[in-house]
Amino acid sequence: EWNFVVANLTTPANIFHALRRQVKWEFRKPLVIFSPKSLLRHPDCVSSVKELAEGSFQEIIDDADVKAPEVKRLVMCSGKIFYELKARQKKEGRTDLAIVRLEQLYPMPEEQSRQIIAKYKGAEKVWIQEEPKNMGAFTFLRRYEHFNEFKLVARKSSASPATGYASVHAQEQKALLDTVFSNDKIESV
């Protein structure tokens, strides 16, 4: 019943504005942030002074590096996997693939997500997550009909969120990115 906020934030400015919004609201409700510590050290996870001073909280962050009519695949994600996706997008010079971050998972920014999805009309729609298929945000997103067209790219279902081996994790992570960046149509889950 909209009684708390769940976010997976990817920029220092967005964390700042989420906390600021929390304090400025005239009412109180819990804020749950799922951002990992590793983003504190990530060299690309930075915000400008202007973003901090003049910006505001963004529930969704669109891909500013692509032109919507050229996009053939819309990739939505949440959290730190964005930085791996963005690095690969730049490395390959891909402008036919848009990477959109869903920063606030609950309450779902329904109107904003509908508008962004509509902006990339005709593009193949993919949700990527690091978590196994039976975990992560995708099962929650499927409750919203505008996410029904999305195909899932994730690790196989598992009882544990991690493999326990860094080498296996790296192989699985590479496979996820290879799937998203392939030119082949992605199969449904």
Side-chain angles (χ1 to χ4, degrees):
E1 295 181 0
W2 311 95
N3 57 355
F4 67 108
V5 175
V6 178
N8 194 357
L9 307 175
T10 59
T11 69
N14 227 21
I15 291 173
F16 170 76
H17 291 299
L19 295 173
R20 184 175 181 275
R21 179 182 75 169
Q22 190 74 6
V23 171
K24 292 295 230 172
W25 270 337
E26 294 178 8
F27 49 86
R28 293 287 166 248
K29 62 171 131 179
L31 169 63
V32 179
I33 298 178
F34 287 112
S35 297
K37 294 184 303 191
S38 64
L39 287 185
L40 294 171
R41 297 178 305 277
H42 198 290
D44 295 331
C45 185
V46 294
S47 295
S48 67
V49 173
K50 184 176 181 177
E51 289 170 317
L52 286 162
E54 298 173 17
S56 62
F57 181 68
Q58 298 176 300
E59 287 90 357
I60 296 180
I61 302 176
D62 198 358
D63 192 333
D65 298 330
V66 298
K67 294 180 180 119
E70 298 173 9
V71 171
K72 294 181 179 136
R73 181 173 290 160
L74 167 61
V75 178
M76 288 188 80
C77 65
S78 186
K80 71 182 179 108
I81 195 166
F82 163 77
Y83 290 100
E84 291 177 61
L85 291 165
K86 201 63 179 170
R88 178 110 173 229
Q89 181 190 40
K90 284 182 182 178
K91 179 181 172 188
E92 294 184 9
R94 298 286 297 267
T95 58
D96 63 331
L97 188 136
I99 303 168
V100 175
R101 291 173 272 179
L102 185 58
E103 296 277 293
Q104 180 174 295
L105 298 166
Y106 186 84
M108 169 60 69
E110 289 185 65
E111 189 54 38
Q112 292 163 313
S113 56
R114 276 193 188 96
Q115 287 173 1
I116 285 184
I117 292 167
K119 176 181 173 182
Y120 298 104
K121 185 178 180 183
E124 181 182 22
K125 294 161 183 65
V126 175
W127 175 265
I128 183 171
Q129 63 184 35
E130 291 185 88
E131 299 85 6
K133 289 179 181 180
N134 60 324
M135 300 177 194
F138 191 66
T139 54
F140 173 73
L141 295 176
R142 295 300 292 248
R143 297 173 186 178
Y144 299 92
E145 66 181 43
H146 57 285
F147 282 98
N148 286 341
E149 292 181 49
F150 278 75
K151 297 168 185 160
L152 174 63
V153 174
R155 289 175 163 75
K156 65 182 173 67
S157 293
S158 173
S160 170
T163 66
Y165 297 100
S167 60
V168 173
H169 173 80
Q171 284 178 319
E172 291 176 346
Q173 198 76 352
K174 182 182 180 311
L176 295 176
L177 296 176
D178 289 347
T179 300
V180 166
F181 284 90
S182 76
N183 290 321
D184 300 332
K185 193 160 182 65
I186 294 174
E187 297 299 318
S188 273
V189 215

